[in-house]
Amino acid sequence: MRLYAIKGGVPLAGEVEIGGAKNAALAILAASIMTDETVLIENVPDVRDTNVLIAAMESVGASVIRQDRHTVKINGSQIHNFVIDDEHIKKIRASYYLLGALLGKYKRAEVPLPGGCNLGTRAIDQHIKGFRALGAEVVLKNGSVVATATKLKGTHIFMDKVSVGATINVMMAAVMAEGRTIIENAAKEPHVVDLANFLNSMGARIKGAGTDVIRINGVAKLHKSEYAIIPDQIEAGTFMMAAAITKGDITVKNVIPKHLECISAKLVELGCEIEESDDAVRVVASKRLRNTQVKTLPYPGFPTDMQPQITVTLGLSEGISIVTESIFDNRFKYVDELVRMGADIKVESGNTAIISGVKEYTAAKLTAPDLRAGAALVLAALAAKDMTTIDDIKYIERGYEDFHLKLQGLGAHIDIVEAEKDLQKLNFQVVS
Ligand code: EPZ
């Protein structure tokens, strides 16, 4: 089992280039099969999630040519099958974006129901509600969602709760429906906007993405496009938090500062200095951080995907901090691992962490429970003086490209080993 080996205690400093947004790429890759013409997509992050989705697209007949590590050419004209098999959805839930894309273009799709995950239940009732509102027949059978329609007709849809995935999936199903669709209570995340901009570049007619009311006029066909994906808000936020927790000085480059405003504002509350330029944000943390309160909210609120990262940072701050998780019902499972490093955190009623800051974390042997919690444990290890190991790093590699190499570039003592026995080979051995 491949492990990260991390010898922390070193303030990280320097510049790091941020890659394309994973969660925008997943939606845009799925949507790219909605035209029979060729689509060129740049700034695709080379991470496990995007590679698994590309494999799922190829499995139904799409042709995908990787021009370079971050550029793919896609043509969906030869798609012959509308059934996504289990192996893909088991690896990533976001394969369900092919439901909206295939239903939107071919009026039929069959995708296995995504299982639960470490964040709690992951219902898709709002996705199904939207498809049915557009006139699709949606049945759940043999563990799959089967959606079919003779035609899709624009309608007025009120989401019962703000859902990124449901907004994305329903938008894709609606862009080629007959007539006008209005999605109320839509998610406003940057990746929802990026998908809308991409679909519009293919000839769709979407207005209002980024607000809670999205208006779509259906079109009969979509055409070719060349598109570059926005930078990853959460990868950038993770490196900004790395500066805070290691008392370092990191500049994240190739970012959209507007997307990071809520994260920057919290870092200022913690006592960090923030410098913004057109496409970069610098975070300097020179002294012990202050405490604060955080509640995760849909965009533009504090992102749930940054909740583990700020919680581990607050674990070393002065005083009592409170972090409330309002999006997922079980996103504090990693706290048990953090307590093994000396953190003083109590999770109340499943969604509120009461954090009493400690002076330091001690190294430990950890397991990454999921993608963002795994990245947060890496941050905690970077602040702990001795050698920490983190296994199950495949979770982290789902959403972070070259994570250990980018951290090495900032001065971190981190590397990947195949097994514990290889630790002594590392050149940043702990002097026993
Ligand atoms: C997307 O997940 C992201 N994944 C998640 O990022 C992110 O945490 C989440 O949005 C919130 O921002 C991708 O974009 C691939 P939701 P998604 O639908 O779409 C409930 C990462 O680390 N809900 O906005 O699944 C749901 O259970 C991942 O990159 C319903 O009840 O999130 C959750 O409690 C982790 N019914 C809440 O809404 C539905 O039909 C928000 O979920 C849909 C969702």
Side-chain angles (χ1 to χ4, degrees):
M1 176 91 70
R2 294 163 64 244
L3 311 152
Y4 281 139
I6 302 160
K7 181 170 170 295
V10 176
L12 299 191
E15 296 184 343
V16 59
E17 305 270 332
I18 298 302
K22 166 181 83 85
N23 292 343
L26 293 170
I28 288 167
L29 286 167
S32 66
I33 63 166
M34 295 184 76
T35 172
D36 285 339
E37 298 178 19
T38 296
V39 171
L40 183 81
I41 304 174
E42 296 171 318
N43 207 27
V44 179
D46 179 13
V47 293
R48 208 159 152 264
D49 275 12
T50 48
N51 294 330
V52 167
L53 182 63
I54 285 171
M57 291 159 58
E58 290 175 314
S59 74
V60 294
S63 107
V64 182
I65 298 164
R66 201 179 278 270
Q67 283 201 324
D68 63 43
R69 187 177 184 191
H70 301 119
T71 308
V72 288
K73 236 182 190 178
I74 294 167
N75 184 298
S77 60
Q78 303 309 311
I79 287 178
H80 47 75
N81 163 15
F82 310 103
V83 180
I84 305 300
D85 54 39
D86 223 24
E87 61 155 316
H88 301 299
I89 192 88
K90 273 200 183 121
K91 288 180 190 157
I92 60 156
R93 296 167 36 78
S95 310
Y96 65 22
Y97 284 156
L98 291 171
L99 260 178
L102 293 169
L103 179 65
K105 181 180 177 192
Y106 300 102
K107 314 298 182 255
R108 53 188 165 143
E110 183 174 331
V111 176
L113 257 176
C117 74
N118 286 323
L119 308 184
T121 51
R122 300 289 292 273
I124 61 165
D125 56 301
Q126 297 301 303
H127 302 237
I128 293 170
K129 169 181 175 162
F131 296 151
R132 285 178 173 153
L134 289 164
E137 188 200 336
V138 184
V139 293
L140 305 185
K141 74 177 187 194
N142 311 113
S144 286
V145 181
V146 183
T148 51
T150 41
K151 68 176 178 175
L152 294 174
K153 205 162 161 3
T155 184
H156 201 158
I157 302 167
F158 287 80
M159 292 295 186
D160 300 321
K161 68 189 310 182
V162 175
S163 160
V164 168
T167 303
I168 284 172
N169 242 341
V170 173
M171 186 157 51
M172 283 194 281
V175 287
M176 295 176 77
E178 283 177 21
R180 185 177 171 76
T181 296
I182 298 174
I183 304 173
E184 304 268 5
N185 204 15
K188 300 184 274 192
E189 270 68 7
H191 31 295
V192 172
V193 178
D194 210 24
L195 172 66
N197 291 338
F198 170 65
L199 285 166
N200 283 342
S201 77
M202 291 165 77
R205 296 173 56 200
I206 304 169
K207 288 191 167 49
T211 74
D212 51 12
V213 183
I214 298 177
R215 298 171 198 284
I216 301 164
N217 283 304
V219 295
K221 258 171 83 77
L222 295 173
H223 55 66
K224 66 184 178 207
S225 170
E226 295 195 4
Y227 196 80
I229 289 169
I230 55 168
D232 194 311
Q233 169 204 35
I234 306 301
E235 184 193 17
T238 303
F239 281 103
M240 291 163 73
M241 217 49 80
I245 199 169
T246 63
K247 298 197 189 63
D249 176 351
I250 294 176
T251 299
V252 290
K253 300 187 68 178
N254 295 344
V255 296
I256 299 172
K258 172 86 186 142
H259 293 167
L260 304 171
E261 273 178 353
C262 193
I263 298 164
S264 299
K266 273 299 161 191
L267 286 168
V268 168
E269 282 179 38
L270 296 186
C272 299
E273 289 153 52
I274 297 280
E275 275 170 41
E276 282 183 12
S277 60
D278 288 353
D279 63 353
V281 175
R282 181 181 177 196
V283 181
V284 184
S286 47
K287 52 191 184 310
R288 187 175 184 199
L289 300 174
R290 294 194 290 267
N291 60 332
T292 188
Q293 281 67 46
V294 182
K295 179 171 185 180
T296 64
L297 289 169
Y299 190 84
F302 192 86
T304 177
D305 290 349
M306 283 296 302
Q307 178 261 86
Q309 296 91 316
I310 198 162
T311 299
V312 302
T313 303
L314 289 169
L316 293 176
S317 293
E318 188 89 49
I320 304 281
S321 298
I322 296 178
V323 176
T324 305
E325 172 57 57
S326 76
I327 307 291
F328 289 107
D329 54 22
N330 185 12
R331 198 168 197 170
F332 282 115
K333 283 174 79 172
Y334 64 92
V335 166
D336 295 341
E337 290 291 273
L338 208 51
V339 167
R340 295 178 59 235
M341 296 181 80
D344 181 353
I345 303 177
K346 287 174 191 56
V347 178
E348 311 272 326
S349 61
N351 72 340
T352 302
I354 316 288
I355 304 162
S356 174
V358 295
K359 277 228 180 333
E360 61 178 10
Y361 289 140
T362 53
K365 290 183 181 164
L366 306 173
T367 298
D370 63 65
L371 164 56
R372 305 301 176 185
L377 292 177
V378 169
L379 299 187
L382 289 168
K385 286 198 177 54
D386 298 327
M387 180 76 81
T388 294
T389 57
I390 300 178
D391 69 17
D392 265 357
I393 65 171
K394 64 181 185 307
Y395 281 116
I396 301 170
E397 292 171 323
R398 287 186 50 184
Y400 291 90
E401 181 184 306
D402 296 343
F403 195 36
H404 69 297
L405 298 177
K406 291 185 176 183
L407 287 167
Q408 283 173 6
L410 295 166
H413 292 160
I414 178 172
D415 214 333
I416 293 179
V417 293
E418 292 305 320
E420 296 259 340
K421 65 179 175 41
D422 301 325
L423 286 176
Q424 67 272 10
K425 291 179 196 157
L426 293 173
N427 60 13
F428 51 80
Q429 199 36 277
V430 181
V431 178
S432 45

